[in-house]
Amino acid sequence: MKGVVLAGGTGSRLFPLTKVTNKHLLPVGMAPMIWHPLWKLQEAGIEEILIVTGTEHMGDVVALMGSGKDFGCRFTYKVQDEAGGIAQALGLAENFAGGSPICVILGDNIFQDSLKPEAEAFEKQGQGARILLKPVEDPQRYGVAEVRDGKVLGIEEKPKQPKSNLSVTGIYFYDATVFDIIRTVRPSGRGEMEITDVNNAYIAKGQLSFGTFQGWWTDAGTFPSLAHANELAIREATPFPQANGRS
């Protein structure tokens, strides 16, 4: 299994902090934000990792991360030329994946649980997709999953009247057919290729499973959630990869 960290976007909700830097380079606890998902991939035994980011701050991201040698990983980089959505960014990973299953993490996801059990569950599944859910108090901010009898019936993107409180976190497992699905996705009303459409395509094929986070989880894409992520990371003394490759 290979890993993909999506670290693009304009970071507009965190302006002016993001005026001169990528939001994924902002501090969360004792580490840059992007180190947290990278450490989770590394902890799960995933060593080949693609980092996708935008044109403006690619140099800063590469300067921070390097080749991956210091983290015990091998990094590849891709540039997303425009903010065209998560599915568009993921489409850039096709050659990198090379037919292998992938674990995809949005770079502003900060969470407690290990991904290793979820990766093992997906490997046993053998095909399709697997998503991770978390009950939240403000599901309107997220993609929301409707679950019944252990199955996801559908996912709605930022619904005004959510059918549940189960947020679709920004962690996904996909087989190689994800890239065929992405080619069928059309931009939404927001002008972006939505990852929700990709997940719903797997639901339509009966090939999407889910797990639920037991520990804490937050994104860090707004000022309140960034502050909360810092609070959690500092309180829990979240481990992170050191620049010398040691934990």
Side-chain angles (χ1 to χ4, degrees):
M1 184 178 294
K2 296 181 179 181
V4 179
V5 177
L6 301 182
T10 62
S12 59
R13 293 178 297 173
L14 289 173
F15 188 85
L17 296 183
T18 52
K19 185 175 182 178
V20 295
T21 190
N22 183 293
K23 76 173 181 180
H24 302 90
L25 304 184
L26 296 175
V28 173
M30 298 179 289
M33 186 187 300
I34 194 173
W35 281 18
H36 292 265
L38 286 168
W39 180 78
K40 291 296 184 178
L41 290 173
Q42 183 187 50
E43 182 190 36
I46 298 171
E47 297 180 347
E48 292 190 54
I49 300 171
L50 172 68
I51 300 171
V52 180
T53 191
T55 56
E56 292 185 353
H57 306 300
M58 172 60 83
D60 293 332
V61 173
V62 174
L64 173 69
M65 306 308 302
S67 69
K69 179 181 178 182
D70 291 341
F71 298 85
C73 299
R74 295 180 296 279
F75 295 154
T76 301
Y77 297 91
K78 284 279 188 178
V79 172
Q80 185 182 17
D81 291 321
E82 56 186 4
I86 296 170
Q88 183 199 62
L90 178 55
L92 300 174
E94 184 169 12
N95 289 338
F96 166 80
S100 298
I102 54 175
C103 175
V104 183
I105 305 184
L106 305 189
D108 62 354
N109 275 249
I110 311 298
F111 54 97
Q112 184 177 31
D113 292 10
S114 169
L115 289 179
K116 190 169 185 178
E118 297 296 337
E120 291 172 348
F122 181 62
E123 288 177 342
K124 290 179 181 177
Q125 183 176 323
Q127 64 177 356
R130 185 175 180 85
I131 62 175
L132 297 182
L133 306 179
K134 179 67 178 178
V136 295
E137 296 181 354
D138 52 350
Q140 297 88 347
R141 284 186 57 212
Y142 307 99
V144 176
E146 181 182 6
V147 176
R148 187 181 306 159
D149 299 328
K151 294 184 178 180
V152 180
L153 303 183
I155 300 170
E156 291 183 284
E157 185 65 24
K158 298 180 174 64
K160 293 182 179 179
Q161 295 181 322
K163 295 180 180 178
S164 79
N165 67 341
L166 293 173
S167 164
V168 179
T169 67
I171 300 103
Y172 319 95
F173 296 88
Y174 295 118
D175 66 8
T177 67
V178 67
F179 301 106
D180 295 326
I181 292 173
I182 289 173
R183 279 187 278 273
T184 71
V185 172
R186 297 293 175 261
S188 67
R190 300 193 304 163
E192 297 187 355
M193 295 171 63
E194 307 286 356
I195 200 68
T196 293
D197 292 338
V198 174
N199 292 330
N200 279 327
Y202 276 110
I203 292 172
K205 295 195 296 182
Q207 293 183 349
L208 184 136
S209 66
F210 74 93
T212 304
F213 273 137
Q214 302 303 308
W216 53 261
W217 166 87
T218 185
D219 69 358
T222 66
F223 282 107
S225 62
L226 177 61
H228 186 49
N230 270 282
E231 177 187 354
L232 290 169
I234 293 172
R235 185 185 72 197
E236 301 293 332
T238 303
F240 58 89
Q242 302 281 357
N244 61 6
R246 299 176 183 175
S247 295

